[in-house]
Amino acid sequence: MKTAVFTMLCLGAYLLPAQAQEDTTQQSDSRLVALPIVFLTPETSWGFGAAGIYTFRLPGEAPDSRPSQLQLGGAYTLENQILSYLPFQIFAKDETYNIYGELGYYRYTYFYYGIGNGFEDYEGELFDLSFPRVRLNAARKFWGDWYAGFRYWLDDMQVGGLEPGGLLAGASTVGQSGGLLSAAGGFVLLDQRNNVFYPTAGHYFELGAINSGSRTGSRFDFTKFALDARKYWATGEDAVFALNAYLEFNTGAPPFTHLALMGGTRRMRGYYEGRYRDRQMAILQGGYRFPLFWRLKGAVFGGLGNVAGEVSGF
């Protein structure tokens, strides 16, 4: 369901006047864009809410520096579900510091399709999941456009509504009874995109690791490694081709909610987020964005991906 919310948020950004995109990269004045959200999905019935993006530059920042942003959104569904989120990205000292992440609270019903590739024909089962969320990444430039920094995750999960006799209730799945996940780690980042909101050229590369265990106050003991590499090409008037490689590897015993999840709005779109999940995942995907008419754009995309319990399973 978060797919529906974030899709509409992105659509609203694309429908902004053409001058708005230019202003966020060339001028120092702040800008606020807000829009209503209405959606309907099988697990929510109707949902209603609002979302907004506030872009700004901190005092003293250069006019040509990339703008900081706050995204605030919330929604309520007729199934008594709540979604509230505050993603953010702050640039300071002329982009010397890059701080980004998310604060949120979610009370929602998700589909579960099992772990691995062995449930191809399974239609899924529902479970309830409530949790506050903290995602914090703080980095500093250390060489050229390269950043290095610290990251912290926190999800305090309450799991319920398991389907009697279902996969999640019947198996000894890690995390099926919820618990506190608290993890810390580090990452390196290269971000040479020409625009944070709508890149048309440049590179993005992020390599990170995060550890969850008793030392960080977590109930779960595992380590996650992830590589996210992207490249953008302008191929014509307002047309863009993008290529993305994503690798994720987990050691230890991550909860089922924090395995590598295929699907959603970013990785193998067209699949429900978590339709396939396991300890390891590899994805290669591409997309082409192009103008249609007025302020509307079109996109075609495709990808190849797989999940596996061990690297040898690919």
Side-chain angles (χ1 to χ4, degrees):
M1 180 277 59
K2 281 197 289 184
T3 297
V5 174
F6 285 114
T7 298
M8 297 194 68
L9 180 59
C10 291
L11 177 62
Y14 292 155
L15 293 178
L16 293 177
Q19 185 64 30
Q21 180 176 321
E22 180 181 347
D23 287 347
T24 58
T25 58
Q26 302 295 331
Q27 298 182 13
S28 58
D29 54 324
S30 58
R31 182 173 296 272
L32 174 65
V33 177
L35 68 156
I37 294 173
V38 180
F39 58 90
L40 173 66
T41 73
E43 67 269 31
T44 65
S45 182
W46 285 98
F48 309 90
I53 303 176
Y54 176 60
T55 62
F56 61 97
R57 290 184 176 87
L58 297 175
E61 295 298 292
D64 60 348
S65 65
R66 287 182 290 183
S68 300
Q69 62 168 311
L70 299 175
Q71 300 178 31
L72 178 62
Y76 177 81
T77 79
L78 297 184
E79 297 294 331
N80 196 31
Q81 298 152 335
I82 296 174
L83 296 157
S84 57
Y85 47 90
L86 176 63
F88 58 89
Q89 184 165 31
I90 309 296
F91 292 105
K93 298 293 184 181
D94 293 333
E95 300 184 39
T96 300
Y97 297 95
N98 184 356
I99 302 170
Y100 61 97
E102 177 191 354
L103 303 176
Y105 176 77
Y106 299 90
R107 187 177 73 208
Y108 191 68
T109 301
Y110 297 88
F111 277 105
Y112 179 72
Y113 296 89
I115 296 174
N117 299 303
F119 304 94
E120 184 68 30
D121 298 324
Y122 189 54
E123 296 182 356
E125 59 193 56
L126 291 171
F127 70 96
D128 299 328
L129 180 63
S130 301
F131 58 97
R133 163 162 288 180
V134 175
R135 295 286 187 269
L136 176 62
N137 305 273
R140 188 187 191 281
K141 278 187 179 180
F142 69 95
W143 182 59
D145 292 326
W146 285 90
Y147 291 86
F150 165 84
R151 68 178 25 153
Y152 177 73
W153 290 8
L154 185 144
D155 291 334
D156 190 4
M157 299 174 291
Q158 299 182 33
V159 178
L162 303 187
E163 200 169 291
L167 289 175
L168 196 52
S172 57
T173 305
V174 178
Q176 66 180 176
S177 59
L180 175 67
L181 184 146
S182 175
F187 66 100
V188 292
L189 170 68
L190 173 67
D191 189 354
Q192 294 180 323
R193 295 172 296 173
N194 63 338
N195 189 299
V196 174
F197 305 99
Y198 193 82
T200 60
H203 305 79
Y204 181 94
F205 177 92
E206 182 179 315
L207 175 64
I210 195 162
N211 176 259
S212 168
S214 58
R215 290 180 298 178
T216 58
S218 179
R219 175 181 174 184
F220 307 100
D221 187 5
F222 71 97
T223 301
K224 183 185 297 287
F225 303 89
L227 167 66
D228 187 354
R230 313 173 203 168
K231 169 65 176 173
Y232 301 87
W233 294 269
T235 61
E237 185 178 353
D238 209 20
V240 183
F241 176 71
L243 193 64
N244 172 227
Y246 182 82
L247 303 174
E248 182 173 328
F249 305 103
N250 290 275
T251 64
F256 76 98
T257 51
H258 290 71
L259 292 167
L261 304 179
M262 181 179 292
T265 60
R266 295 186 177 184
R267 301 180 185 116
M268 298 293 285
R269 285 178 291 173
Y271 285 106
Y272 182 88
E273 184 176 18
R275 174 59 184 88
Y276 297 99
R277 71 180 75 201
D278 214 323
R279 286 156 45 91
Q280 328 300 346
M281 181 168 69
I283 291 174
L284 178 64
Q285 57 188 357
Y288 180 65
R289 305 193 300 260
F290 53 92
L292 292 174
F293 58 90
W294 190 50
R295 299 170 184 166
L296 299 180
K297 299 182 184 296
V300 293
F301 53 87
L304 296 171
N306 199 3
V307 298
E310 302 297 337
V311 174
S312 60
F314 287 129

